Amino acid sequence: MSYSQRAERLWNSQHDGDARQSRDDVSPHPVTFLVGAERSGTTLTRLMLDGHPELAFRYEFELAVDLVPPGEGWPDLDVYYEYLRTYRFVDPPPHIDRSLDYPSLVRSFLEQKRRADRKPRVGAVVHRNFDRLLRIWPDARFVHIVRDPRDVARSCVGMGWAGHAWSGVAPWIEAEQLWERVRASLPRQRWITVRYEDLVHDPKRELGRICRLVEIDFDDAMLEYPSRSTYRAPSPSFTEQWRKKLTPRDVQLVESRVHDMLAPRGYALSGLPRIEPSPLERAALRARCRAGRARHAARSLGVRLWVERAVAHRGGPRAWREHVQRRVDAAINAQLA
């Protein structure tokens, strides 16, 4: 039996009673999902929402939708169990009740978070494939958060997820295009859009808007997150950092991809001349991005672990590959803390 299998068995044995209770203790309130591109302020917003005495809010919850096929149908459960076995959990891993079908299983994960926090309502952050949430939670409510894509691109480069601002804005584009499709399918009373810049300028006002969507009252505890996290209190200085940290060329490259998407979201163009990279320039940018990501990974993981990860991706004994992945996950989680 592998380490992961032993860990899952231990976790399940400790939580069997909680799992049985959850079938009779299900919240009657709709689930609220916070959606948007990574580096758009979802962690800050989640910390605020999770501080509310009536709302438990789970960290990254892509595990609910990553394997759900587009259209219809559900993941094979054995494949899903294997996926969960090596998933990079930030929150404590949930109990896996193998008697449940797929939709019931992932719904139970949020119920476990709600019950553990002893709160009547629950929500979660999802950055991708969030259109598929509606197949599992048809009555879900959505808080869409959007941030200036030039700041998102800059932040993605800083995290090592992209080697250049031109590629760093790609997740923002994907998330915004997906949100446009999701929004079109929702009744107006079940969603709101919050701009990150508005949130840090006037957090009480924007959190009040979210609370009205969730049907709870604003609570000052939502702004006490600096006492229980490494995040500082919101400040307008968090906004428009791209003006100081991106080169004019980087700004032009980002705007070449999002030119028509800025104004509808309340963002102004920089005023720099518009450019359009040639196919050859695009190929060079992609190569620079790959090289930049590799350099950042080597620095953040250490050369030895970086090399081990690269080798493990190509094969090797399963136990060793899982051991390497656990070390990589621990290093990433430490950086995100």
Side-chain angles (χ1 to χ4, degrees), residues 23-171:
R23 301 183 186 184
D24 301 319
D25 178 23
V26 177
S27 173
H29 304 290
V31 173
T32 301
F33 290 104
L34 176 63
V35 301
E38 290 184 285
R39 311 309 297 170
S40 288
T42 52
T43 300
L44 175 68
T45 311
R46 178 192 65 83
L47 287 168
M48 293 176 174
L49 298 178
D50 194 49
H52 196 288
E54 295 184 36
L55 180 61
F57 226 84
R58 196 185 188 285
Y59 195 65
E60 299 172 351
F61 199 51
E62 285 78 19
L63 62 86
V65 289
D66 269 347
L67 269 61
V68 174
E72 45 185 58
W74 302 112
D76 177 271
L77 282 172
D78 288 333
V79 173
Y80 187 60
Y81 299 149
E82 180 65 18
Y83 161 85
L84 291 176
R85 211 168 53 78
T86 55
Y87 188 81
R88 182 177 62 82
F89 287 102
V90 177
D91 288 339
H95 166 80
I96 301 170
D97 185 343
R98 295 184 181 238
S99 71
L100 299 177
D101 61 17
Y102 182 85
S104 300
L105 179 62
V106 293
R107 284 195 291 263
S108 78
F109 294 164
L110 284 189
E111 281 299 311
Q112 290 175 50
K113 166 66 175 174
R114 184 187 67 81
R115 291 192 343 270
D117 288 9
R118 293 179 169 84
K119 296 181 179 182
R121 291 170 171 82
V122 70
V125 177
V126 182
H127 297 112
R128 57 181 179 267
N129 298 325
F130 42 81
D131 55 322
R132 301 169 196 181
L133 293 167
L134 288 166
R135 291 166 54 191
I136 306 169
W137 290 273
D139 61 346
R141 298 174 186 181
F142 289 83
V143 178
H144 162 239
I145 187 164
V146 62
R147 185 182 187 183
D148 190 311
R150 292 158 293 199
D151 271 327
V152 172
R154 174 198 56 78
S155 187
C156 285
V157 173
M159 294 297 293
W161 301 343
H164 195 282
W166 185 81
S167 63
V169 78

Side-chain angles (χ1 to χ4, degrees), residues 313-326:
H313 283 173
R314 291 170 172 77
R318 176 173 169 174
W320 174 73
R321 286 187 283 113
E322 291 180 359
H323 174 66
V324 171
Q325 189 59 51
R326 286 196 300 274

